[in-house]
Amino acid sequence: MAGAPKSNKRKSDAGATASSSKKTKTDDAAYASAKDHVKSILADPESFDIESDEANVRRVFVELAEYASSLEADVKSLVQESTKPSPPAKTPEKIESEADRLGNTIVSGIKKQMSWKPSCKTNSSKFVFDGFCPDPLVFGKVLGLDGPPKFKQKKIPRQEFEDFVGSIEGSARYNTLYISSSEVNVRYNADTGEFKVSGSYGITHG
């Protein structure tokens, strides 16, 4: 749930949008003649022009038939999309399991950033962990909530944060490193699933 999916998702969406746009432009060009025929017929149903050449008449009928078939296919596609069953709701056990995994990922990600720096002596080294959780219920569960987060940004007391995700300790140069800030800053975007956890660390607890 953490990390790379962010960029992949955007690339996928961009590709789908480009493909859809290209298909629409191609369809518009392919059926432009048929659309013109429809407009002229509806504009003057009693006396619209009729081709005198049989081959041209057949061509017009074929264009109209292909256009009608295309519209029918579009309607079927829309109906199928609208009637797709929704994915089953996650059970409380499933949400709990995913929240545990996400909590472990957050702990691991912060620990990996706890390298020794001179600023560790003054408890002012910084960590910033970026992750991805598309399910607001799961992210809310990580933070001990009964539902999805209602905030976009929140400062959580350090001890409370560690109670939620687990104890966070690093080690470097014979020193144990801890989250030193009194609060951990948490940002969450429910629309994209992106989140950010940031704070300070050093040789003493916050």
Side-chain angles (χ1 to χ4, degrees):
M1 288 188 184
K6 166 186 168 184
S7 60
N8 289 340
K9 181 176 184 297
R10 288 182 176 174
K11 287 180 181 178
S12 176
D13 288 349
T17 302
S19 176
S20 176
S21 176
K22 184 176 181 181
K23 180 179 183 298
T24 300
K25 290 179 180 178
T26 301
D27 288 349
D28 287 345
Y31 302 118
S33 179
K35 291 179 180 180
D36 288 340
H37 292 317
V38 171
K39 288 180 181 178
S40 63
I41 292 171
L42 294 179
D44 193 0
E46 299 296 329
S47 58
F48 62 87
D49 291 335
I50 300 176
E51 296 280 355
S52 58
D53 183 78
E54 181 178 343
N56 286 336
V57 173
R58 289 181 180 276
R59 176 180 55 78
V60 170
F61 283 164
V62 170
E63 289 176 354
L64 291 173
E66 289 176 343
Y67 182 42
S69 179
S70 172
L71 293 176
E72 183 180 12
D74 288 344
V75 170
K76 285 182 179 179
S77 177
L78 290 173
V79 170
Q80 289 173 353
E81 286 294 325
S82 65
T83 56
K84 279 184 179 179
S86 301
K90 292 179 181 177
T91 64
E93 292 76 17
K94 178 69 170 175
I95 293 175
E96 182 78 36
S97 174
E98 293 186 8
D100 286 343
R101 288 200 299 272
L102 180 58
N104 292 335
T105 298
I106 292 173
V107 170
S108 176
I110 294 175
K111 281 184 176 181
K112 288 178 180 177
Q113 296 187 34
M114 286 180 157
S115 59
W116 178 261
K117 299 174 183 177
S119 54
C120 287
K121 295 180 181 179
T122 56
N123 297 313
S124 57
S125 296
K126 304 296 183 183
F127 69 85
V128 178
F129 178 73
D130 292 296
F132 179 74
C133 178
D135 190 338
L137 287 174
V138 172
F139 194 78
K141 189 68 175 179
V142 171
L143 300 179
L145 304 175
D146 293 327
K150 295 181 179 179
F151 62 84
K152 291 186 177 180
Q153 178 177 338
K154 183 177 182 179
K155 293 184 180 296
I156 301 176
R158 191 270 310 166
Q159 184 58 61
E160 185 178 335
F161 178 77
E162 291 195 55
D163 288 343
F164 292 146
V165 302
S167 177
I168 300 175
E169 294 182 2
S171 60
R173 292 195 177 184
Y174 309 106
N175 288 294
T176 300
L177 302 175
Y178 310 93
I179 293 180
S180 57
S181 49
S182 60
E183 297 176 318
V184 175
N185 192 36
V186 178
R187 296 172 182 264
Y188 183 64
N189 187 327
D191 295 329
T192 65
E194 297 166 292
F195 69 86
K196 185 187 297 289
V197 180
S198 59
S200 301
Y201 70 93
I203 57 177
T204 59
H205 271 308

